[in-house]
Amino acid sequence: MSESVVIVAFYHFVVEPFTEPAKMKSTLLACMRAAQVKGTIILASEGLNGTVAGPKKGIEHVIAHLRCWPYCESLKWKSATARKNPFLRVKVKLKKEIVTMGVAGLVPAQQTGIAVNAKEWQRLLADPDTLVVDTRNQYETEIGTFERALDPETDTFRAFPDFVNKRLADAKQRKIAMFCTG
């Protein structure tokens, strides 16, 4: 039997805040329903984060809709297939943040590090002067991590800023390589 449902997961920070998330929510819900796509998308002024599933044409329609939004033309996603839709409902949730950190004034798309390719990442890992930080939660770090990676021992991203303030305060002049599942 062929796979008939496409599942996509994505998150995307925008360089300028969305100005009307409530209006965007209503058009996105209508788009998802019309495309027979189910799942949850979190929408905040800083961007969007979601996992949705549906027929291939429906997923393509929803992705095209999202890519028409301001600063979303470069939206990327990961996809998989399944025999049936794992989601029962269509949800678009308005939140203050798409990845909850609880830091006022933070604009993730503007305050970011430098993305590196796999070869550069291997060089960073091999450099003993590089401080490697695993930004994932305890559940994810227990599954595995890179050698020498500093585990923040957090349950949620909300705890990460406290970890940085307590454990990395003296590392500001060091080369730091951070990673996450995204």
Side-chain angles (χ1 to χ4, degrees):
M1 178 179 211
S2 68
E3 309 287 345
S4 61
V5 175
V6 176
I7 304 166
V8 295
F10 54 85
Y11 71 93
H12 183 79
F13 291 104
V14 292
V15 295
E16 294 291 332
F18 290 140
T19 56
E20 299 185 79
K23 187 183 284 187
M24 296 166 87
K25 173 184 175 175
S26 63
T27 63
L28 180 54
L29 277 169
C31 173
M32 290 172 69
R33 288 185 180 120
Q36 298 179 319
V37 170
K38 296 178 180 176
T40 302
I41 296 176
I42 297 169
L43 178 59
S45 62
E46 67 180 10
L48 55 139
N49 179 358
T51 305
V52 296
K56 183 178 184 218
K57 292 274 187 207
I59 291 294
E60 289 170 351
H61 182 72
V62 171
I63 294 294
H65 176 85
L66 293 172
R67 286 181 135 196
C68 287
W69 286 3
Y71 312 108
C72 289
E73 55 280 340
S74 64
L75 173 73
K76 292 179 177 63
W77 62 92
K78 305 276 189 212
S79 65
T81 56
R83 290 194 172 102
K84 68 178 219 170
N85 196 319
F87 303 112
L88 301 175
R89 298 181 271 267
V90 176
K91 291 188 230 173
V92 177
K93 297 179 180 181
L94 291 178
K95 300 267 186 161
K96 289 183 181 178
E97 300 173 279
I98 61 171
V99 177
T100 306
M101 300 259 307
V103 177
L106 183 66
V107 183
Q110 293 176 3
Q111 297 163 299
T112 184
I114 301 165
V116 297
N117 63 31
K119 191 174 186 178
E120 291 165 339
W121 178 252
Q122 291 301 321
R123 262 189 254 137
L124 287 168
L125 291 178
D127 180 353
D129 293 330
T130 300
L131 176 61
V132 181
V133 179
D134 188 335
T135 66
R136 302 170 307 152
N137 64 40
Q138 278 188 306
Y139 169 78
E140 292 170 311
T141 58
E142 285 173 8
I143 292 170
T145 190
F146 289 102
E147 192 175 313
R148 294 190 309 107
L150 185 58
D151 180 355
E153 300 176 4
T154 57
D155 290 322
T156 66
F157 273 115
R158 183 175 279 288
F160 192 73
D162 191 45
F163 160 79
V164 169
N165 290 332
K166 288 181 179 172
R167 303 261 314 272
L168 299 180
D170 62 343
K172 289 183 181 179
Q173 300 306 313
R174 287 191 66 189
K175 186 182 335 178
I176 299 175
M178 298 179 7
F179 66 96
C180 185
T181 28

